[in-house]
């Protein structure tokens, strides 16, 4: 008996189609992982930078800022803050270090994280590392 | 309510609604902080309010999904739930773990929470939406496993329907993909690549399976349309969701250090991601059109149709607007993203949970098929208040985003200077947010003061 | 049985169902076919667009291809498609063994395509080109591989159809699955018929 639209055909398309695209996605993932060493600046991924990423995570910087465009939209993009601050590590370090604990009246305020000197240097180095990842020419300008 | 064990859903729905209210309160705090920058600073800095807002959203939606499963699976499987005790135990474990986590966010600086919870031993904290301590994440996995075991056994030992199987597939997928939240490499590009395996493959993948199956269930129950017809639609919808959504993940791989071919793959496939939402809209309206009965719970039918439409608008249309790489180059990480995110989450996931609660609540309270007329009218008012205000929130943020892109990314003004100029949009957004919370409160009043319909009302 | 004079298929093959309003084959498969055509169309338009923006890359890229291999594949797929259609008609007239033979040869030609294409793509990678070389090579490799996978799927479908024809699952009144599978195979064929001139030939 010929029916217009069978349930089993729809089900086969669901299973087959999903499996098909999962396999392609896995293949592209495999290819991507093989290719990203040319793009991800891993030569600069030192122990200090790894520690810097931990400092970044432990203080939830992503909760206000974006990094490579991902995160929160309360505060500026930090993937290119190194370039924006004239490639000055000291300038970035000083900004974080000297945030007033009570904030700035009426303005969006960044907490004083009470980071040690070592943590500050590490997180700055993490931001330098991030700024040199090949992001296909993003962001469009220095403002992030 | 045909099976006694369905009653356990009430606990989950109560938690869901309570946490929803909490989420919105913190949303309002954040909205105010956008324009009154140091509001509640340093007691509750913006990032703290944000992680409370987003984590509460995810947790209350999970309570909602689990409650929905506990409600409909006994009915679909035509047997009682495998273990009511387990369901109640897991409820309290999840609620307490969640509450402690939120309290942890609020009571101490985040770095201290990381220290206290031993994050250093297995660091998974500090990423967006995954801010919860590693031990909380372990707790979530345990609760998820227990939950899947419970409903899985119920389905396996009973009648298997397309609705219950697809719902289960979605829930299992949700649990398995959550495991990627434990993978946190030092390599920032790899970190971001696999982070999206949780976030994208959740909300643009397996969560769509959950949404579609819940929608199908409510439509079967309220329209009386032949299950065979609904089943075919459901397969087609979820097929299109995965076919477009899996490679659609590539639209998050444009600018994060991954190869440039993702700009092609991501753009083409994600451009097609509106299709399943379009199908869901036609599906919902078609089923209601061809209905064989006029179900007395008019509010639930309104929620069902509304879910499909708003999901299509928020996830489909707004998603499409910024998904093509050449456009995304300018919109990436702006208020456009926030606009899409709010309407998409509200339309697809908030609304489907409210739809199920709307359908199930009268049964859970012993009111029969529907609540009394007055409650339904209040409920429908809450639908319009929340949905329309959310659309306005989205419109205001879209306006803010367009201006932000022009001033910051084309004209080159600084981020902070531009944010000041967007203040008008943000004030209007906050006003819309107040209307939203009014709608939510009205919804809660409707549900909690609902009565059995008077004899003349019940059809 | 309806016999409309303008329907020559009905005249040639008694039993061919002319009463159906919908296209022959399962509507779900047609929905799927249209979705597939949509995806490929988007890629074809993107190819044309990218070519317009970057003609040198595309001209030099095209020179790295072997149009004779492409021609061979075209002949293989077209013949295979014709055989699949013949199998459907044979089944409609109750000639099961003829249908089966046609299907097996169609499969053979499909597999032939896979060998030729597999060799061609492997050779391309070995020559040093990759997905991220430039937009031409990406589109050539991705569209080619994507289509290749559809041919794999199509051959699989044909094999299932052949097995079912052998088992006697199909007949003049029971042809839905056969028609659906053949329609899918024709879609794979049509995509190639656009891909080949667009990528290999047009200058």
């Amino acid at each position: 008996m010929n029916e217009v639209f069978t349930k089993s055909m729809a089900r086969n398309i669901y299973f087959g189609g999903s499996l098909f695209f999962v396999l392609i996605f896995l293949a592209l993932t495999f290819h991507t992982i093989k290719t990203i060493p040319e793009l991800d600046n891993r030569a600069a991924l030192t122990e200090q930078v790894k520690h810097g990423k931990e400092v970044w995570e432990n203080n939830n910087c992503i909760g206000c800022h974006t990094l490579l465009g991902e995160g929160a939209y309360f505060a500026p993009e930090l993937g290119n803050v190194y370039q924006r601050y004239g490639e000055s590590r000291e300038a970035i370090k000083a900004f974080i270090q000297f945030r007033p604990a009570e904030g700035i009246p009426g303005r969006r305020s960044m907490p004083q994280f009470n980071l040690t000197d070592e943590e500050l240097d590490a997180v700055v180095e993490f931001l330098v590392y991030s700024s040199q990842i090949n992001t296909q020419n993003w962001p469009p300008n220095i403002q992030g | 309510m045909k099976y006694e064990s369905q009653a356990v859903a009430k606990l989950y729905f109560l938690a869901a609604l309570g946490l929803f209210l909490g989420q919105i309160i913190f949303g309002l705090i954040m909205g105010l902080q956008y324009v009154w920058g140091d509001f509640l600073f340093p007691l509750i800095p913006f990032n703290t309010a944000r992680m409370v807002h987003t984590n509460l959203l995810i947790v209350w939606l999970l309570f909602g999904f689990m409650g929905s499963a506990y409600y409909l699976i006994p009915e679909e499987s035509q047997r009682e739930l495998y273990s009511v005790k387990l369901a109640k135990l897991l409820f309290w474990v999840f609620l307490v773990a969640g509450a402690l986590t939120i309290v942890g966010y609020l009571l101490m600086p985040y770095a201290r929470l990381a220290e206290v919870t031993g994050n250093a031993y297995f660091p998974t904290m500090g990423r967006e939406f995954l801010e919860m301590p590693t031990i909380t994440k372990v707790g979530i996995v345990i609760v998820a496993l227990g939950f899947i075991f419970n409903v899985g056994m119920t389905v396996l030992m009973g009648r298997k329907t397309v609705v219950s199987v697809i719902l289960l597939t979605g829930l299992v997928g949700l649990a398995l993909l959550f495991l990627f939240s434990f993978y946190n490499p030092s390599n920032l590009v790899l970190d971001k690549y696999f982070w999206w395996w949780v976030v994208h493959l959740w909300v643009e993948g397996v969560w769509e399976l959950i949404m579609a199956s819940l929608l199908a269930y409510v439509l079967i129950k309220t329209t009386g349309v032949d299950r065979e017809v609904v089943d075919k639609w459901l397969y087609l919808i979820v097929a299109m969701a995965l076919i477009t959504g899996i490679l659609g993940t590539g639209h998050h791989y444009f600018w994060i250090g991954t190869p440039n071919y993702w700009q092609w793959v991501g753009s083409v496939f994600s451009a097609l991601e509106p299709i399943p939402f379009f199908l869901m809209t036609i599906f919902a309206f078609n089923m209601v059109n061809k209905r064989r009965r006029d179900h007395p719970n008019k509010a639930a039918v309104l929620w069902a149709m509304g879910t499909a439409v708003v999901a299509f608008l928020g996830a489909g249309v707004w998603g499409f607007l910024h998904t093509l790489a050449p456009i995304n180059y300018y919109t990436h990480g702006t208020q456009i993203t926030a606009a899409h995110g709010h309407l998409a989450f509200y339309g697809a996931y908030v609304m489907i949970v409210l739809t199920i609660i709307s359908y199930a609540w009268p049964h859970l309270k012993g009111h029969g098929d529907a609540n009394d007329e007055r409650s339904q009218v209040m409920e429908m008012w809450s639908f319009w208040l929340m949905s329309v205000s959310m659309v306005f929130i989205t419109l205001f943020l879209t306006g803010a985003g367009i201006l932000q892109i022009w001033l910051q990314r084309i004209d080159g003004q600084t981020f902070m200077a531009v944010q000041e100029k967007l203040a008008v949009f943000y004030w209007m957004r906050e006003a819309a947010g107040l209307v939203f919370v009014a709608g939510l409160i009205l919804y809660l009043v409707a549900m909690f003061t609902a009565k059995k319909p008077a004899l003349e009302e019940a059809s | 049985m309806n016999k409309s004079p303008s329907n020559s298929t009905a005249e040639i093959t008694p039993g061919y169902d002319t009463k159906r309003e919908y296209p022959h084959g399962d509507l779900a498969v047609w929905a799927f076919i249209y979705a597939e055509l949509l995806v490929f169309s988007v890629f074809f338009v993107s190819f044309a667009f990218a070519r317009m923006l970057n003609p040198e890359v595309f001209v030099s890229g095209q020179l790295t291809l072997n149009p004779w291999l492409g021609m061979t594949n075209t002949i293989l797929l077209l013949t295979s498609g014709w055989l699949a259609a013949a199998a459907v008609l044979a089944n409609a007239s109750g000639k099961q063994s003829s249908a089966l033979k046609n299907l097996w040869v169609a499969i053979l030609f499909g597999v032939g395509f896979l060998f030729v294409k597999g060799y061609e793509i492997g050779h391309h990678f070995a020559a040093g080109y990759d997905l991220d070389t430039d937009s031409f090579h990406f589109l050539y490799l991705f569209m080619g591989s994507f289509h290749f996978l559809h041919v794999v799927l199509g051959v699989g479908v044909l094999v299932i159809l052949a097995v079912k024809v052998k088992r006697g699952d199909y007949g003049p009144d029971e042809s839905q699955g056969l028609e659906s599978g053949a329609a899918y195979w024709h879609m794979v064929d049509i995509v190639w018929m656009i891909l080949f001139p667009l990528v290999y030939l047009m200058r």
Side-chain angles (χ1 to χ4, degrees), chain B residues 441-455:
Chain B
I441 291 172
L442 188 60
Y443 180 85
L444 295 172
V445 169
M447 290 322 218
F448 291 126
T449 63
K451 294 195 256 300
K452 216 179 169 129
L455 279 168

mmCIF file with all atom_site columns, all heavy atoms in Angstrom, chain B residues 441-455:
data_model
loop_
_atom_site.group_PDB
_atom_site.id
_atom_site.type_symbol
_atom_site.label_atom_id
_atom_site.label_alt_id
_atom_site.label_comp_id
_atom_site.label_asym_id
_atom_site.label_entity_id
_atom_site.label_seq_id
_atom_site.pdbx_PDB_ins_code
_atom_site.Cartn_x
_atom_site.Cartn_y
_atom_site.Cartn_z
_atom_site.occupancy
_atom_site.B_iso_or_equiv
_atom_site.pdbx_formal_charge
_atom_site.auth_seq_id
_atom_site.auth_comp_id
_atom_site.auth_asym_id
_atom_site.auth_atom_id
_atom_site.pdbx_PDB_model_num
ATOM 1   N N   . ILE B 1 441 ? 5.146   37.769 37.683 1.00 0.00 ? 441 ILE B N   1
ATOM 2   C CA  . ILE B 1 441 ? 4.421   37.743 38.950 1.00 0.00 ? 441 ILE B CA  1
ATOM 3   C C   . ILE B 1 441 ? 2.950   37.411 38.710 1.00 0.00 ? 441 ILE B C   1
ATOM 4   O O   . ILE B 1 441 ? 2.347   36.627 39.451 1.00 0.00 ? 441 ILE B O   1
ATOM 5   C CB  . ILE B 1 441 ? 4.594   39.084 39.689 1.00 0.00 ? 441 ILE B CB  1
ATOM 6   C CG1 . ILE B 1 441 ? 6.052   39.219 40.156 1.00 0.00 ? 441 ILE B CG1 1
ATOM 7   C CG2 . ILE B 1 441 ? 3.649   39.181 40.882 1.00 0.00 ? 441 ILE B CG2 1
ATOM 8   C CD1 . ILE B 1 441 ? 6.399   40.553 40.724 1.00 0.00 ? 441 ILE B CD1 1
ATOM 9   N N   . LEU B 1 442 ? 2.381   37.969 37.663 1.00 0.00 ? 442 LEU B N   1
ATOM 10  C CA  . LEU B 1 442 ? 0.988   37.665 37.322 1.00 0.00 ? 442 LEU B CA  1
ATOM 11  C C   . LEU B 1 442 ? 0.826   36.164 37.037 1.00 0.00 ? 442 LEU B C   1
ATOM 12  O O   . LEU B 1 442 ? -0.149  35.534 37.453 1.00 0.00 ? 442 LEU B O   1
ATOM 13  C CB  . LEU B 1 442 ? 0.562   38.481 36.102 1.00 0.00 ? 442 LEU B CB  1
ATOM 14  C CG  . LEU B 1 442 ? -0.924  38.434 35.732 1.00 0.00 ? 442 LEU B CG  1
ATOM 15  C CD1 . LEU B 1 442 ? -1.777  38.946 36.886 1.00 0.00 ? 442 LEU B CD1 1
ATOM 16  C CD2 . LEU B 1 442 ? -1.196  39.251 34.478 1.00 0.00 ? 442 LEU B CD2 1
ATOM 17  N N   . TYR B 1 443 ? 1.809   35.595 36.319 1.00 0.00 ? 443 TYR B N   1
ATOM 18  C CA  . TYR B 1 443 ? 1.792   34.159 36.029 1.00 0.00 ? 443 TYR B CA  1
ATOM 19  C C   . TYR B 1 443 ? 1.781   33.360 37.327 1.00 0.00 ? 443 TYR B C   1
ATOM 20  O O   . TYR B 1 443 ? 0.996   32.423 37.491 1.00 0.00 ? 443 TYR B O   1
ATOM 21  C CB  . TYR B 1 443 ? 3.017   33.790 35.192 1.00 0.00 ? 443 TYR B CB  1
ATOM 22  C CG  . TYR B 1 443 ? 3.110   32.327 34.825 1.00 0.00 ? 443 TYR B CG  1
ATOM 23  C CD1 . TYR B 1 443 ? 2.455   31.828 33.699 1.00 0.00 ? 443 TYR B CD1 1
ATOM 24  C CD2 . TYR B 1 443 ? 3.865   31.439 35.588 1.00 0.00 ? 443 TYR B CD2 1
ATOM 25  C CE1 . TYR B 1 443 ? 2.545   30.491 33.348 1.00 0.00 ? 443 TYR B CE1 1
ATOM 26  C CE2 . TYR B 1 443 ? 3.949   30.101 35.248 1.00 0.00 ? 443 TYR B CE2 1
ATOM 27  C CZ  . TYR B 1 443 ? 3.295   29.632 34.126 1.00 0.00 ? 443 TYR B CZ  1
ATOM 28  O OH  . TYR B 1 443 ? 3.382   28.301 33.788 1.00 0.00 ? 443 TYR B OH  1
ATOM 29  N N   . LEU B 1 444 ? 2.660   33.749 38.271 1.00 0.00 ? 444 LEU B N   1
ATOM 30  C CA  . LEU B 1 444 ? 2.744   33.028 39.539 1.00 0.00 ? 444 LEU B CA  1
ATOM 31  C C   . LEU B 1 444 ? 1.433   33.158 40.321 1.00 0.00 ? 444 LEU B C   1
ATOM 32  O O   . LEU B 1 444 ? 0.939   32.174 40.882 1.00 0.00 ? 444 LEU B O   1
ATOM 33  C CB  . LEU B 1 444 ? 3.920   33.550 40.364 1.00 0.00 ? 444 LEU B CB  1
ATOM 34  C CG  . LEU B 1 444 ? 5.298   33.300 39.730 1.00 0.00 ? 444 LEU B CG  1
ATOM 35  C CD1 . LEU B 1 444 ? 6.388   34.017 40.506 1.00 0.00 ? 444 LEU B CD1 1
ATOM 36  C CD2 . LEU B 1 444 ? 5.605   31.814 39.667 1.00 0.00 ? 444 LEU B CD2 1
ATOM 37  N N   . VAL B 1 445 ? 0.861   34.363 40.326 1.00 0.00 ? 445 VAL B N   1
ATOM 38  C CA  . VAL B 1 445 ? -0.425  34.560 41.006 1.00 0.00 ? 445 VAL B CA  1
ATOM 39  C C   . VAL B 1 445 ? -1.487  33.665 40.377 1.00 0.00 ? 445 VAL B C   1
ATOM 40  O O   . VAL B 1 445 ? -2.258  32.999 41.070 1.00 0.00 ? 445 VAL B O   1
ATOM 41  C CB  . VAL B 1 445 ? -0.850  36.039 40.950 1.00 0.00 ? 445 VAL B CB  1
ATOM 42  C CG1 . VAL B 1 445 ? -2.297  36.203 41.402 1.00 0.00 ? 445 VAL B CG1 1
ATOM 43  C CG2 . VAL B 1 445 ? 0.074   36.894 41.808 1.00 0.00 ? 445 VAL B CG2 1
ATOM 44  N N   . ALA B 1 446 ? -1.508  33.644 39.042 1.00 0.00 ? 446 ALA B N   1
ATOM 45  C CA  . ALA B 1 446 ? -2.495  32.825 38.328 1.00 0.00 ? 446 ALA B CA  1
ATOM 46  C C   . ALA B 1 446 ? -2.378  31.370 38.735 1.00 0.00 ? 446 ALA B C   1
ATOM 47  O O   . ALA B 1 446 ? -3.366  30.696 39.024 1.00 0.00 ? 446 ALA B O   1
ATOM 48  C CB  . ALA B 1 446 ? -2.308  32.964 36.817 1.00 0.00 ? 446 ALA B CB  1
ATOM 49  N N   . MET B 1 447 ? -1.157  30.886 38.771 1.00 0.00 ? 447 MET B N   1
ATOM 50  C CA  . MET B 1 447 ? -0.945  29.469 39.087 1.00 0.00 ? 447 MET B CA  1
ATOM 51  C C   . MET B 1 447 ? -1.280  29.162 40.533 1.00 0.00 ? 447 MET B C   1
ATOM 52  O O   . MET B 1 447 ? -1.902  28.146 40.834 1.00 0.00 ? 447 MET B O   1
ATOM 53  C CB  . MET B 1 447 ? 0.519   29.078 38.817 1.00 0.00 ? 447 MET B CB  1
ATOM 54  C CG  . MET B 1 447 ? 0.860   29.048 37.345 1.00 0.00 ? 447 MET B CG  1
ATOM 55  S SD  . MET B 1 447 ? -0.507  28.386 36.351 1.00 0.00 ? 447 MET B SD  1
ATOM 56  C CE  . MET B 1 447 ? 0.371   27.452 35.166 1.00 0.00 ? 447 MET B CE  1
ATOM 57  N N   . PHE B 1 448 ? -0.869  30.062 41.437 1.00 0.00 ? 448 PHE B N   1
ATOM 58  C CA  . PHE B 1 448 ? -1.037  29.724 42.848 1.00 0.00 ? 448 PHE B CA  1
ATOM 59  C C   . PHE B 1 448 ? -2.418  30.036 43.401 1.00 0.00 ? 448 PHE B C   1
ATOM 60  O O   . PHE B 1 448 ? -2.789  29.557 44.456 1.00 0.00 ? 448 PHE B O   1
ATOM 61  C CB  . PHE B 1 448 ? 0.062   30.398 43.687 1.00 0.00 ? 448 PHE B CB  1
ATOM 62  C CG  . PHE B 1 448 ? 1.425   29.807 43.425 1.00 0.00 ? 448 PHE B CG  1
ATOM 63  C CD1 . PHE B 1 448 ? 2.483   30.607 43.055 1.00 0.00 ? 448 PHE B CD1 1
ATOM 64  C CD2 . PHE B 1 448 ? 1.634   28.438 43.516 1.00 0.00 ? 448 PHE B CD2 1
ATOM 65  C CE1 . PHE B 1 448 ? 3.733   30.069 42.791 1.00 0.00 ? 448 PHE B CE1 1
ATOM 66  C CE2 . PHE B 1 448 ? 2.872   27.887 43.245 1.00 0.00 ? 448 PHE B CE2 1
ATOM 67  C CZ  . PHE B 1 448 ? 3.923   28.692 42.885 1.00 0.00 ? 448 PHE B CZ  1
ATOM 68  N N   . THR B 1 449 ? -3.204  30.849 42.667 1.00 0.00 ? 449 THR B N   1
ATOM 69  C CA  . THR B 1 449 ? -4.579  31.086 43.128 1.00 0.00 ? 449 THR B CA  1
ATOM 70  C C   . THR B 1 449 ? -5.586  30.356 42.253 1.00 0.00 ? 449 THR B C   1
ATOM 71  O O   . THR B 1 449 ? -6.783  30.609 42.331 1.00 0.00 ? 449 THR B O   1
ATOM 72  C CB  . THR B 1 449 ? -4.918  32.592 43.124 1.00 0.00 ? 449 THR B CB  1
ATOM 73  O OG1 . THR B 1 449 ? -4.841  33.063 41.765 1.00 0.00 ? 449 THR B OG1 1
ATOM 74  C CG2 . THR B 1 449 ? -3.966  33.376 44.004 1.00 0.00 ? 449 THR B CG2 1
ATOM 75  N N   . ALA B 1 450 ? -5.076  29.460 41.420 1.00 0.00 ? 450 ALA B N   1
ATOM 76  C CA  . ALA B 1 450 ? -5.976  28.748 40.506 1.00 0.00 ? 450 ALA B CA  1
ATOM 77  C C   . ALA B 1 450 ? -6.907  27.826 41.278 1.00 0.00 ? 450 ALA B C   1
ATOM 78  O O   . ALA B 1 450 ? -6.540  27.257 42.299 1.00 0.00 ? 450 ALA B O   1
ATOM 79  C CB  . ALA B 1 450 ? -5.165  27.932 39.504 1.00 0.00 ? 450 ALA B CB  1
ATOM 80  N N   . LYS B 1 451 ? -8.124  27.738 40.748 1.00 0.00 ? 451 LYS B N   1
ATOM 81  C CA  . LYS B 1 451 ? -9.102  26.857 41.384 1.00 0.00 ? 451 LYS B CA  1
ATOM 82  C C   . LYS B 1 451 ? -9.654  25.902 40.339 1.00 0.00 ? 451 LYS B C   1
ATOM 83  O O   . LYS B 1 451 ? -9.441  26.057 39.138 1.00 0.00 ? 451 LYS B O   1
ATOM 84  C CB  . LYS B 1 451 ? -10.251 27.690 41.959 1.00 0.00 ? 451 LYS B CB  1
ATOM 85  C CG  . LYS B 1 451 ? -9.858  28.600 43.104 1.00 0.00 ? 451 LYS B CG  1
ATOM 86  C CD  . LYS B 1 451 ? -11.108 29.079 43.830 1.00 0.00 ? 451 LYS B CD  1
ATOM 87  C CE  . LYS B 1 451 ? -11.459 30.508 43.487 1.00 0.00 ? 451 LYS B CE  1
ATOM 88  N NZ  . LYS B 1 451 ? -10.401 31.470 43.844 1.00 0.00 ? 451 LYS B NZ  1
ATOM 89  N N   . LYS B 1 452 ? -10.415 24.954 40.845 1.00 0.00 ? 452 LYS B N   1
ATOM 90  C CA  . LYS B 1 452 ? -11.138 24.070 39.937 1.00 0.00 ? 452 LYS B CA  1
ATOM 91  C C   . LYS B 1 452 ? -12.177 24.908 39.202 1.00 0.00 ? 452 LYS B C   1
ATOM 92  O O   . LYS B 1 452 ? -12.786 25.783 39.795 1.00 0.00 ? 452 LYS B O   1
ATOM 93  C CB  . LYS B 1 452 ? -11.862 23.025 40.785 1.00 0.00 ? 452 LYS B CB  1
ATOM 94  C CG  . LYS B 1 452 ? -11.914 21.655 40.151 1.00 0.00 ? 452 LYS B CG  1
ATOM 95  C CD  . LYS B 1 452 ? -12.630 20.679 41.082 1.00 0.00 ? 452 LYS B CD  1
ATOM 96  C CE  . LYS B 1 452 ? -12.912 19.402 40.344 1.00 0.00 ? 452 LYS B CE  1
ATOM 97  N NZ  . LYS B 1 452 ? -12.447 18.237 41.089 1.00 0.00 ? 452 LYS B NZ  1
ATOM 98  N N   . PRO B 1 453 ? -12.337 24.649 37.910 1.00 0.00 ? 453 PRO B N   1
ATOM 99  C CA  . PRO B 1 453 ? -13.333 25.452 37.203 1.00 0.00 ? 453 PRO B CA  1
ATOM 100 C C   . PRO B 1 453 ? -14.745 25.156 37.712 1.00 0.00 ? 453 PRO B C   1
ATOM 101 O O   . PRO B 1 453 ? -15.048 24.027 38.082 1.00 0.00 ? 453 PRO B O   1
ATOM 102 C CB  . PRO B 1 453 ? -13.196 25.016 35.740 1.00 0.00 ? 453 PRO B CB  1
ATOM 103 C CG  . PRO B 1 453 ? -12.444 23.751 35.771 1.00 0.00 ? 453 PRO B CG  1
ATOM 104 C CD  . PRO B 1 453 ? -11.665 23.696 37.034 1.00 0.00 ? 453 PRO B CD  1
ATOM 105 N N   . ALA B 1 454 ? -15.591 26.200 37.733 1.00 0.00 ? 454 ALA B N   1
ATOM 106 C CA  . ALA B 1 454 ? -16.996 26.004 38.105 1.00 0.00 ? 454 ALA B CA  1
ATOM 107 C C   . ALA B 1 454 ? -17.643 25.105 37.072 1.00 0.00 ? 454 ALA B C   1
ATOM 108 O O   . ALA B 1 454 ? -17.193 25.022 35.937 1.00 0.00 ? 454 ALA B O   1
ATOM 109 C CB  . ALA B 1 454 ? -17.708 27.351 38.144 1.00 0.00 ? 454 ALA B CB  1
ATOM 110 N N   . LEU B 1 455 ? -18.720 24.423 37.453 1.00 0.00 ? 455 LEU B N   1
ATOM 111 C CA  . LEU B 1 455 ? -19.318 23.399 36.585 1.00 0.00 ? 455 LEU B CA  1
ATOM 112 C C   . LEU B 1 455 ? -19.701 23.915 35.202 1.00 0.00 ? 455 LEU B C   1
ATOM 113 O O   . LEU B 1 455 ? -19.553 23.213 34.212 1.00 0.00 ? 455 LEU B O   1
ATOM 114 C CB  . LEU B 1 455 ? -20.553 22.779 37.265 1.00 0.00 ? 455 LEU B CB  1
ATOM 115 C CG  . LEU B 1 455 ? -20.185 21.700 38.275 1.00 0.00 ? 455 LEU B CG  1
ATOM 116 C CD1 . LEU B 1 455 ? -21.387 21.317 39.124 1.00 0.00 ? 455 LEU B CD1 1
ATOM 117 C CD2 . LEU B 1 455 ? -19.639 20.469 37.564 1.00 0.00 ? 455 LEU B CD2 1
#
